[in-house]
Structures are given as structure tokens and as C-alpha cells.
Amino acid sequence: MSNDLNRATFDEVMVPNYGPAKMIPVKGRGSKVWDTEGNEYFDLSGGIAVCGLGHCHPELVEVLKQQSESLWHLSNVWTNLPALELATKLTSLTFAEKVFFANSGGEANEAAFKLARKYAKDNFGPEKVEIISFFNGFHGRTLFTVSVGGQEKYTQGFEPLPQAITHLPFNDLDALTAAISDKTCAVVMEPIVAEGGIINATEEFAQGVRELCNQHNALLVYDEVQTGVGRTGELYAYMGLGVTPDILTSAKALGGGFPIGAMLTTTKIAESMGIGTHGSTYGGNPLACSVANKVLDIMMRPETLAGVASKRTLIVDGLNAINDKHGIFSDIRGKGLLVGAALTEEWHGKAKVFLNAAIEEGVMVLVAGLSVIRIAPSLVIPDEDIITAMEKFAKAVDKVLADV
Ligand SMILES: *Cc1c(COP(=O)(O)O)cnc(C)c1O
């Protein structure tokens, strides 16, 4: 059967909401991927910041094998040991005291936004329903999460939308000061706006948001689906900002490629999610939780996070070398191994051209919006692989520039 399957099959049988590349990967190890033709690729995309420990990390393979032979699924009518172990780890490693498990980032955010509304209603009455979030933010694809997200293209056509959501410019404390009120139940932000262009929150903004939330009894929700689990060099990005949120969502790298999402919060806030208020069939299932337990163990080894800064330097050096030659980047942003290279005005809207050229040279990168190239590799990618991959990417850029 698989001999008859190719990229054309996608157009025949898949809903056309994605436009995948021509090659079809069949195997991954560490930071390398091979396609159906046996071509090798250096993966600087990490499955969109999911494969934080690379592909088929041997310890993750082992734990998944073991768990798959003991227990797959129970439902939340029973609890299970991997879920209890994971919740214990997450609460001991973060500000949080309580954890809710889901299967994706969007679901973790859906839980967070529902909880914020419910908590406000329980504690402050029925008027406190407004959610404030930021333009270019991304929080998932459910109707509530696209509505809180700040990109109109993702809500168009899906109206009527959930109500009482206000979008403001990011990093603009004056705008938030003017908009926030006692009707605000939550302010939702990514510590680095990821999908929307790799825009770092300034420390001043992050701390100002925290203070305004305190003044108005609004919950501060950090969407760390992309920035979390070591990506920025801290376990969670809030730890580097000197700000503690009230609710934090995690997914992507938490499962290293096995689907899982988590919402973290305090005991007091969690009280508003009493028995029967929310749930998920698969959330907290033993397979996902056992993998995530191992992911956290590996993340917490000192050498894992300690390598992030020097690996970032190798990537940024590679990007700077490209820029010295071609002057195509106006800014190199992000933190740790979430790197954004913003294209100059001349190249606005063309990020995908570079992504496609990179694949031709055997390197997988990402875009963040139309005008930013995003690099988010495994946190344990060997330095040699970064160097080779950046050389290949430089070659891809040379070719794009030669064609204009
Ligand atoms: C990817 C992402 C999501 C959505 O996660 P899914 O697992 O695709 O539902 C939400 N928020 C942020 C910041 C993300 O990067």
C-alpha cells in the first residue's frame, strides 16, 4: 500500500487546510530526518517546537515501550500513577499547586479561559467576564482560543464568536492601563509571541501586566505552549521574566512529540473547577504522562538547559553571517532556542520562499507569520549539526538571492 502513497494522495484524501511540502519524512533520529527517497534533512524546526529532545530520543522510546506494555488507558473515572507523578513534578518545579491534563495546547488554553471566567464569576459576580489578549497572539484553533488569539485571519468565517474579548497591542502598557477594568477576568499573553512573529515581552511590560492584574483582580494567564519546557533556557519562560502567572498552559515540548497538554494553577483558583465542570477523555492518560515524566527528567538534568545559550549563539552567528553577506534581516529575536529572524521590508511576505529553499538544501526551518524565519530545534541538537545545518541554510539563502 505505502508504495502507492505520495504527496498527491494528500490532495486526494485530506481536507485541504494544510499545504505540506513535497517530501514525506519517514524516519527521524535526533536532529535528522529522512524522507521516502532516503534524502537526509537537518531538522531546525523540531516539529514546531515540539521535539524538544529531538526525534526518537532513546529514553523516551524506552519509557513509551514500557508503558505500552502495562497500561494504555483508563478514563478519568480512575486516576493513574504516571499522571500523579507528572502532576507532582510540575507542581514542585513551578509556582503551581494544581494541574489539569489535556491533549494539546489549544485544549489546555480552552481550560484556562473557561477557568478564568468561572473563577471570576464564583468570586466577583456575573459582570467580570472580559478577557484581554494581544494582537498577533496565538492560543490554538478551537473557537474560544482563536477568538482570544489576536489574528483575524483565524476567526474569519467562523462567526458568531465568543464575546467579551478585547485585543490590544503587545508590549504597550499604556493601552492595557486604559483598557483593563474591574470587568476584566483575565489577561492572556505569551511571554514571547511565537506564531505571531517571535516578539519578546519586555520585562517592563511583563511586570506592568502583573501589577495591573493585581489591581483589578484579573488572572494573569501565560500561554507557554511554545516557550515552555526548556525552550528559552529556563523550564518556563516566566521564570526569566520575574513574573509569576496565575494560570500557565503547557503542551508541545511537554510530550516531546507525544500529544499532551497541561494547565497549571493555584489551589484557590482550581477550586472553581469542581467535579463535573470540565473534562477530557484522554487528558492525563498513562502513555502521554509517562513520556512527559521522562521529558521533564531529562530537561532537569543540568546539562540540558545549560546547553541552550551556546546553541543559540551558534544559530545567531550563522544568521549574522548570512546577514553580513545579504542584509536580509532587520532583527534577530527570541530567547534560547526559539529564534526569529525578521526579514527587511524588501523581503516582507517572503519568509516561506526561504523555508522552501532550505528544504531543497536539506534543512528544515519554520516561519512565524509571513516575514519572520523561525528556528526552534531540539534542545539537545549536537553543535556539529547546527553548524552543518546553518551552512546549508546559508546556501539556500544564496540561491534565493541569486534568483532575484
Ligand atoms: C502551538 C500553540 C498553541 C496550540 O497548540 P495545539 O497543540 O496546536 O492546540 C497554543 N498556543 C501557543 C503559544 C502555541 O504555540
Side-chain angles (χ1 to χ4, degrees):
M1 173 112 188
S2 73
N3 285 343
D4 306 330
L5 300 176
N6 53 51
R7 176 59 180 79
T9 319
F10 182 94
D11 297 331
E12 286 162 27
V13 297
M14 301 280 275
V15 170
N17 62 316
Y18 304 117
K22 279 198 223 94
M23 62 92 163
I24 301 182
V26 289
K27 182 178 147 181
R29 283 290 181 284
S31 290
K32 289 185 194 160
V33 165
W34 292 266
D35 68 13
T36 46
E37 317 275 288
N39 298 312
E40 182 180 86
Y41 301 86
F42 286 78
D43 187 1
L44 297 183
S45 74
I48 316 196
V50 167
C51 307
L53 298 171
H55 298 279
C56 298
H57 189 290
E59 290 181 66
L60 300 186
V61 171
E62 185 53 36
V63 79
L64 183 57
K65 270 188 191 161
Q66 275 178 16
Q67 187 61 45
S68 74
E69 288 170 2
S70 57
L71 187 65
W72 283 37
H73 179 76
L74 285 164
S75 90
N76 287 299
V77 177
W78 295 271
T79 190
N80 68 78
L81 295 178
L84 295 175
E85 185 183 339
L86 183 59
T88 303
K89 275 181 195 158
L90 286 168
T91 52
S92 70
L93 292 168
T94 69
F95 75 95
E97 297 158 326
K98 293 281 192 276
V99 180
F100 169 81
F101 289 120
N103 310 289
S104 67
E107 280 179 52
N109 283 326
E110 183 82 20
F113 305 161
K114 283 178 72 179
L115 175 57
R117 284 257 175 94
K118 180 93 173 15
Y119 175 79
K121 222 160 254 184
D122 290 349
N123 290 277
F124 302 101
E127 302 281 293
K128 196 173 178 66
V129 296
E130 186 203 29
I131 293 175
I132 294 180
S133 57
F134 299 96
F135 291 120
N136 296 315
F138 181 80
H139 304 297
R141 299 294 202 129
T142 67
L143 197 58
F144 200 177
T145 56
V146 280
S147 301
V148 175
Q151 301 188 53
E152 233 175 61
K153 65 181 180 194
Y154 294 139
T155 53
Q156 267 164 11
F158 298 114
E159 302 84 353
L161 304 176
Q163 296 297 293
I165 298 164
T166 303
H167 298 102
L168 299 177
F170 193 65
N171 274 337
D172 184 342
L173 210 47
D174 291 341
L176 182 62
T177 307
I180 196 169
S181 76
D182 290 344
K183 292 193 172 153
T184 308
C185 71
V187 177
V188 179
M189 62 182 275
E190 298 166 76
I192 299 172
V193 174
E195 297 299 311
I198 314 294
I199 300 154
N200 301 43
T202 64
E203 262 179 52
E204 185 198 7
F205 180 69
Q207 289 165 11
V209 174
R210 178 69 272 180
E211 277 161 32
L212 286 166
C213 284
N214 292 350
Q215 282 166 28
H216 294 277
N217 289 316
L219 297 182
L220 176 57
V221 180
Y222 263 34
D223 179 346
E224 293 233 30
V225 169
Q226 189 149 165
T227 52
V229 197
R231 180 70 33 203
T232 63
E234 319 258 1
L235 184 61
Y236 286 99
Y238 82 83
M239 296 167 175
L241 278 171
V243 168
T244 303
D246 300 298
I247 300 179
L248 179 150
T249 55
S250 187
K252 291 206 164 99
L254 182 59
F258 199 99
I260 186 169
M263 179 192 72
L264 282 57
T265 190
T266 63
T267 301
K268 178 158 191 289
I269 296 165
E271 275 170 18
S272 286
M273 225 174 224
I275 288 180
T277 49
H278 191 60
S280 159
T281 293
Y282 295 116
N285 82 81
L287 290 171
C289 291
S290 59
V291 175
N293 270 314
K294 186 57 80 176
V295 168
L296 286 181
D297 290 348
I298 300 172
M299 283 295 164
M300 294 320 291
R301 287 177 197 156
E303 64 270 23
T304 311
L305 296 186
V308 168
S310 62
K311 292 185 195 298
R312 176 185 177 86
T313 303
L314 287 177
I315 292 169
V316 171
D317 286 351
L319 291 169
N320 280 330
I322 290 169
N323 217 23
D324 288 344
K325 193 163 165 193
H326 296 299
I328 58 169
F329 303 131
S330 59
D331 195 11
I332 293 171
R333 315 191 278 246
K335 195 176 176 201
L337 286 171
L338 184 56
V339 185
L343 293 166
T344 57
E345 212 149 302
E346 193 189 342
W347 290 93
H348 268 196
K350 301 261 172 63
K352 198 86 197 262
V353 173
F354 293 95
L355 180 152
N356 290 335
I359 291 173
E360 295 299 313
E361 293 305 316
V363 54
M364 297 153 78
V365 299
L366 296 167
V367 300
L370 299 173
S371 307
V372 177
I373 292 158
R374 172 172 38 161
I375 294 180
S378 154
L379 308 188
V380 294
I381 182 173
D383 291 356
E384 320 71 273
D385 286 7
I386 298 180
I387 292 163
T388 310
M390 291 309 294
E391 283 166 8
K392 287 174 181 286
F393 185 57
K395 223 164 153 198
V397 173
D398 286 345
K399 286 200 179 154
V400 172
L401 273 285
D403 286 345
V404 291

